[in-house]
């Protein structure tokens, strides 16, 4: 039987751990270990875990390496066939894990599988971070079955079919440990945001599949570390999205993005300025500054990605602009694809 470890990355998350960890432990099937990797917390959460959750394994890191670097360092110390990466603010009902493990057991070419994400504060709606499986458009904008840009749908069972998708959320991410390590894990330089989309892209370029399994459902609070419009989140999302496109996109897509994205990001910056959000306006330009400074390093990473790619990999990238379609009224996944 496959060995499975649930790994929660924690950074100053005492309140979330006290609220959600008991449910994770209770719902974990027999033989599945629960590990908390502490990312250099300063709020005493590691000591709290020792006192209040003695059955949970604790891995301590010396400082905050971000989501990407923290998981990379923690998972290097954890042996399992499958890793289940789980945010500290996710409620896991009984039976949530078994469909994900079964998916990987039954489909040897699937590298990662994830549950449907619903909002913990309004369980009739999808959750922004991943909904029922994610895609990107030709310009690199992510969207989901159940969430297009800022529009989030109610869950009425419309996306309950299991299928291959382009990416699944790192909030609840079940993957093959061997594939994770063989591809170098998350990109450490990303620190946070977009790292799971980047990894899913590299998995598919290497010939693996990524799958959403809505028969498993979890409830995600979201925004526990950074709020949606925080300058840090704006910075990481813009910078890492550009870096991901440079590393992974085919030449044609990369060229189109290089011609169009500067203008769209300039519009985004202008929108923040019009709202009086000088901090977010500056964050967009800082993202471009850092992206351009990364050029040499990204060129090396791109060569490494291409070395591990299989010929003629077919990727489910939406060959259009979700931003343009959204502007003209296509604000649900079903309408976007004419359903």
């Amino acid at each position: 039987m496959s060995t499975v470890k649930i790994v929660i990355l924690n950074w100053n998350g005492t309140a979330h751990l006290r609220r959600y960890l008991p449910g994770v432990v209770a719902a974990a099937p027999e033989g599945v270990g629960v590990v908390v990797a502490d990312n250099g917390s300063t709020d005493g959460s590691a000591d709290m875990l020792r006192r209040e959750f003695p059955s949970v394994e604790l891995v301590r890191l010396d400082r905050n390496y971000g989501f990407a670097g923290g998981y990379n360092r923690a998972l290097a110390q954890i042996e399992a066939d499958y890793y289940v990466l789980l945010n500290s603010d996710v409620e896991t009902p009984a039976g949530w894990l078994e469909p994900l493990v079964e998916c990987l057991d039954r489909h040897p070419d699937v590298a990662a599988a994830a549950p449907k994400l619903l909002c913990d504060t309004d369980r009739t709606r999808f959750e922004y971070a991943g909904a029922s499986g994610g895609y990107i458009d030709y310009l690199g904008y992510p969207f989901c079955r159940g969430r297009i840009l800022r529009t989030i749908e109610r869950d009425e069972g419309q996306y309950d079919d299991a299928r291959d998708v382009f990416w699944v959320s790192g909030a609840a991410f079940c993957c093959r440990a061997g594939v994770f390590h063989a591809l170098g894990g998350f990109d450490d330089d990303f620190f946070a945001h977009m790292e799971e989309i980047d990894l899913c892209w590299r998995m598919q370029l290497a010939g693996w599949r990524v799958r959403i399994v809505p028969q498993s459902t979890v409830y995600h609070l979201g925004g526990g570390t950074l709020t949606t419009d925080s300058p840090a989140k704006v910075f990481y999302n813009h910078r890492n999205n550009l870096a991901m496109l440079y590393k992974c996109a085919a030449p044609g897509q990369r060229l189109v993005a290089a011609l169009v994205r500067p203008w769209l990001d300039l519009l985004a910056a202008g929108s923040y300025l019009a709202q009086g959000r000088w901090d977010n306006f500056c964050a967009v330009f800082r993202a471009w500054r850092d992206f351009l400074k990364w050029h040499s390093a990204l060129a090396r990473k791109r060569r490494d990605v291409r070395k591990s790619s299989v010929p003629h990999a077919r990727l489910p990238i939406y060959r259009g602009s979700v931003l343009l379609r959204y502007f003209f009224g296509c604000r649900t996944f079903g309408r976007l694809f004419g359903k």
Side-chain angles (χ1 to χ4, degrees):
M1 294 181 63
S2 302
T3 57
V4 182
K5 290 286 184 71
I6 299 170
V7 186
I8 298 170
L9 188 68
N10 170 64
W11 181 67
N12 292 341
T14 298
H16 286 333
L17 291 172
R18 282 197 170 121
R19 176 178 174 183
Y20 293 100
L21 187 55
V24 175
V25 173
E30 185 177 355
V32 174
V34 179
V35 182
V36 173
D38 187 72
N39 214 3
S41 294
T42 57
D43 68 342
S45 49
D47 293 331
M48 181 275 294
L49 284 164
R50 287 200 181 97
R51 290 193 310 270
E52 300 180 23
F53 299 93
S55 66
V56 172
E57 182 182 348
L58 177 63
V59 173
R60 298 197 69 168
L61 304 177
D62 61 327
R63 62 182 177 86
N64 181 11
Y65 291 95
F67 186 96
Y71 263 124
N72 286 345
R73 285 162 179 77
L75 296 180
Q77 305 176 49
I78 298 170
E79 292 188 6
D81 296 311
Y82 302 155
Y83 296 136
V84 183
L85 313 187
L86 191 69
N87 277 16
S88 61
D89 59 350
V90 173
E91 181 177 320
T92 56
W96 78 280
L97 184 55
E98 289 85 343
L100 304 180
V101 174
E102 182 185 3
C103 176
L104 296 188
D105 282 344
R106 291 184 60 187
H107 302 285
D109 59 344
V110 171
K116 177 169 67 174
L117 287 182
L118 296 182
C119 178
D120 189 37
T121 56
D122 181 356
R123 298 190 174 194
T124 67
R125 291 190 177 276
F126 290 102
E127 205 280 318
Y128 181 93
S132 193
Y135 294 85
I136 64 166
D137 73 359
Y138 208 64
L139 296 174
Y141 287 91
F143 61 98
C144 306
R145 298 198 305 166
R147 191 268 295 173
I148 306 293
L149 301 182
R150 294 294 181 87
T151 299
I152 300 173
E153 298 180 51
R154 290 188 178 276
D155 176 24
E156 298 174 345
Q158 68 271 45
Y159 307 123
D160 276 356
D161 57 311
R163 62 160 67 178
D164 289 358
V165 292
F166 188 79
W167 61 271
V168 289
S169 173
F173 184 94
C174 181
C175 68
R176 297 183 188 277
V179 176
F180 183 91
H181 292 302
L183 295 178
F186 296 122
D187 188 327
D188 264 21
D189 290 334
F190 278 31
F191 192 79
H193 298 294
M194 297 278 174
E195 66 286 309
E196 77 269 53
I197 304 179
D198 172 74
L199 178 58
C200 287
W201 199 336
R202 289 185 282 121
M203 284 174 169
Q204 291 167 96
L205 286 172
W208 296 92
R209 294 159 59 203
V210 174
R211 197 158 177 83
I212 189 73
V213 185
Q215 291 71 30
S216 169
T217 299
V218 299
Y219 304 95
H220 185 213
L221 179 63
T225 305
L226 293 174
T227 57
T228 303
D229 267 343
S230 74
K233 193 162 191 172
V234 170
F235 167 73
Y236 287 128
N237 277 335
H238 278 266
R239 184 195 66 176
N240 295 348
N241 186 267
L242 293 167
M244 177 180 69
L245 283 166
Y246 190 93
K247 286 168 52 182
C248 300
Q253 183 185 6
R254 186 177 163 209
L255 175 62
V256 170
L259 293 173
V260 178
R261 277 295 299 273
W263 300 104
L264 292 176
D265 286 357
L266 190 60
L267 284 174
S271 173
Y272 287 126
L273 191 60
Q275 298 168 42
R277 295 300 307 272
W278 176 255
D279 48 0
N280 285 356
F281 172 82
C282 293
V284 176
F285 287 94
R286 287 193 296 112
W288 269 91
R289 178 201 65 194
D290 280 17
F291 165 65
L292 294 173
K293 285 169 61 177
W294 277 0
H295 185 270
S296 296
L298 288 172
R300 289 193 296 271
K301 290 180 181 182
R302 179 177 174 82
R303 288 194 292 270
D304 291 340
V305 168
R306 291 297 152 186
K307 286 178 185 176
S308 64
S309 299
V310 298
H312 313 299
R314 296 179 62 85
L315 306 179
I317 295 173
Y318 178 62
R319 300 185 72 83
S321 168
V322 69
L323 197 65
L324 185 63
R325 295 292 302 277
Y326 187 88
F327 180 78
F328 284 103
C330 293
R331 300 190 174 182
T332 68
F333 185 87
R335 289 198 64 186
L336 191 64
F337 288 90
K339 298 179 181 178

